[in-house]
Structures are given as C-alpha cells and as structure tokens.
Amino acid sequence: MNADLIDPQAVLRLRALCKLDHARLARLCGLTEAQVRELEEGGHSQFASPDLKVQAALKVATTLSGTQANGMPVVNVFRSRAAADGLGVQLPAFKMEDMLPSAQPKFPDSPEFFKLLLIFVVVVFLFVAVAMPLLYTLPSPPPKLS
C-alpha cells in the first residue's frame, strides 16, 4: 500500500465537521497529536511504515464517521476513483473561518441550574407559607411556677 492513498483534505474536513481539535482526535484514535497532524498535512516521518499510516487513516475515519456493513468507514478519506464516480459520501466544503470557536456566554443556562432554583423556591415557600404560620399559631406553653 502507498501512503499517497490518503487524502489529507478529507481527513481535515472530517475532523472539522466533528468539531474536534488535534489532541482530542488523537486521544480518541490512540494516536499521537503529531500523527494526526501528519495525516492532515501529508508526510512520512511520524509512522514506521506507509501501511501503518493507512491503518491510522482508516482508524480516524471509522472512529469519526462510523462503519458500513462491510467494515469500511462511511466517509471516504482515501484517494480513489469511486469518489469521482459519486459512489462515496462526499463531505461538504468548509471555510477555515468556520473552525474558529464561537463566542459562548460565560455562564450558559443549564437545566441543572433551573432544577436547583426550583428546589430552592419550593423550600423557601414551604418554610414561609407552612412552617412559620404553624410556629406562630401554636399555643404558648404555660408559665412555670417556681
């Protein structure tokens, strides 16, 4: 096998569509970050043989896109005539500006926060509406005789 079978742009697009950085993809696939970068940029220095590089590309593709019934990845990351014939799943083109992280609010609202807030409101209601009137309507104890 030849390492030129790998399409670096397809690997890059697949990683970008999954919104993963190099380090997280490397952890998911059991590779080093340098190996993931080499899959996207080309080169031969991070892998012991071209066959291992092809296996790594196959592992990345199956991890991110899943497998078909024949065991091959859903998204093709290899250069082939099948992609030109329309037989493989084509990834949409993307711009590098889309890969920049969007500005997220510092404290996003979460369902857990609202659950805790509801519990707090119920406890305060029970204390004020139920416990306090009971405490003030109980008869006072008789005075102690000394």
Side-chain angles (χ1 to χ4, degrees):
M1 290 192 162
N2 189 353
D4 294 331
L5 291 174
I6 300 168
D7 183 10
Q9 282 297 313
V11 178
L12 175 67
R13 285 194 309 252
L14 183 59
R15 182 183 60 81
L17 284 174
C18 293
K19 297 181 180 166
L20 295 174
D21 59 353
H22 293 101
R24 183 167 290 165
L25 178 59
R27 281 192 305 265
L28 283 174
C29 297
L31 301 170
T32 65
E33 191 173 341
Q35 288 173 329
V36 172
R37 289 185 191 279
E38 186 171 299
L39 286 174
E40 293 179 357
E41 298 167 359
H44 306 285
S45 62
Q46 295 297 320
F47 294 95
S49 70
D51 292 337
L52 291 176
K53 186 173 181 179
V54 170
Q55 290 297 321
L58 184 65
K59 176 70 174 172
V60 167
T62 56
T63 301
L64 296 183
S65 70
T67 58
Q68 300 177 34
N70 63 0
M72 292 302 290
V74 173
V75 175
N76 186 17
V77 294
F78 300 104
R79 298 180 200 269
S80 68
R81 190 175 63 83
D85 292 341
L87 298 176
V89 175
Q90 294 294 323
L91 294 173
F94 66 95
K95 296 177 183 175
M96 291 303 288
E97 292 82 35
D98 295 340
M99 291 180 58
L100 297 175
S102 61
Q104 295 180 351
K106 190 166 185 170
F107 300 107
D109 294 334
S110 64
E112 292 83 16
F113 171 76
F114 291 118
K115 287 178 189 175
L116 289 173
L117 184 64
L118 177 66
I119 291 170
F120 177 74
V121 168
V122 168
V123 168
V124 168
F125 171 78
L126 289 175
F127 181 72
V128 171
V130 176
M132 293 298 286
L134 285 177
L135 289 175
Y136 286 110
T137 57
L138 291 176
S140 59
K144 289 185 179 181
L145 297 172
S146 334

